[in-house]
Amino acid sequence: MTVRDILIHPDQRLQIKARPVVDFDRHLGALAEDLLDTLYASGPAIGLCAPQIGTLQQVLVMDLSKERDSPEFYVNPRLIMRTRPCFAEERCLSVPGVTANVWRSTLVQVRAQDLDGKLFTRQLENMHAVCLQHEMDHFEGKTIARKVSIFTRLAEALKAG
Ligand code: ZN
C-alpha cells in the first residue's frame, strides 16, 4: 500500500498526454492499488487518475459511495455516447483551492477495459458521468485550471487586493 504524491498545477507532467495501457500485468495491478490508496487518503475526492500521480497511462479510479468501499477502475476509456449537457461545478486534487464551472455531458456511455484487460460498456449519469469526463481530460493533458473563468480570476484578484 502506497499513498503517492499528487502532482500540483502547474507541474508540466499534468500537461502531457497519457498513453493507453498495453500490458495488463502486475505493474498495472500495483498502479491501481496506489491510485486507490492515494484517493482514499485524499479526503472526500471521488476520482483520481494515473497522470496525477506521475504515471502517464490511461488508468483512472472513481468511488462515489458514501462508505468509500466501491472503487471502479477504467483502463483506456472511450466515450461512445454523450448527451444532456450541463454546467458542472468541479474541483481537482491537482488544482487546490479552485472551483471551475465546466460544460459536461450528464449522461454518457463509456467503453473501457478492466484491470484484467476485459472490455466492458457502462452507462453513467450525473456526478458519475462528470467525474469520468474530468479524469479523461487529464489523459489529454488538460486540467480545470484553464477553465477557470475570467470572472473568478478577477474576483480572486480583487479579494487578494
Ligand atoms: Zn482532476
Side-chain angles (χ1 to χ4, degrees):
M1 140 152 198
T2 314
V3 174
R4 306 249 302 256
D5 287 336
I6 294 175
L7 303 185
I8 302 296
H9 174 82
D11 193 304
Q12 289 296 308
R13 287 169 289 178
L14 289 168
Q15 292 161 37
I16 302 174
K17 284 192 184 185
R19 292 179 302 274
V21 170
V22 182
D23 298 316
F24 292 79
D25 54 11
R26 64 188 172 82
H27 296 291
L28 179 62
L31 172 62
E33 275 183 33
D34 286 0
L35 271 175
L36 194 59
D37 292 338
T38 309
L39 176 70
Y40 288 162
S42 311
I46 56 175
L48 187 69
C49 64
Q52 287 179 281
I53 58 171
T55 303
L56 292 168
Q57 297 199 345
Q58 295 180 12
V59 186
L60 68 88
V61 64
M62 296 195 282
D63 188 344
L64 281 79
S65 69
K66 226 179 260 166
E67 296 76 19
R68 313 286 277 163
D69 60 358
S70 307
E72 296 168 27
F73 289 96
Y74 294 78
V75 180
N76 303 333
R78 301 284 177 272
L79 292 184
I80 53 175
M81 186 277 288
R82 59 164 81 195
T83 185
R84 294 201 327 222
C86 173
F87 270 112
E89 201 170 78
E90 297 184 14
R91 290 174 189 80
C92 179
L93 289 169
S94 294
V95 192
V98 164
T99 303
N101 285 308
V102 187
W103 191 242
R104 298 289 193 197
S105 301
T106 57
L107 179 65
V108 301
Q109 256 175 24
V110 56
R111 185 115 171 104
Q113 283 165 282
D114 66 17
L115 294 173
D116 298 316
K118 196 166 165 260
L119 275 166
F120 64 92
T121 304
R122 199 170 289 163
Q123 183 159 305
L124 302 176
E125 283 186 278
N126 303 327
M127 277 304 287
H128 223 137
V130 168
C131 183
L132 178 82
Q133 290 162 85
H134 175 110
E135 301 307 335
M136 287 178 69
D137 271 1
H138 279 293
F139 296 157
E140 298 297 316
K142 298 176 188 164
T143 72
I144 59 169
R146 68 194 192 101
K147 294 189 172 167
V148 175
S149 77
I150 185 77
F151 302 107
T152 307
R153 285 175 208 268
L154 187 62
E156 271 162 14
L158 288 172
K159 235 187 292 171

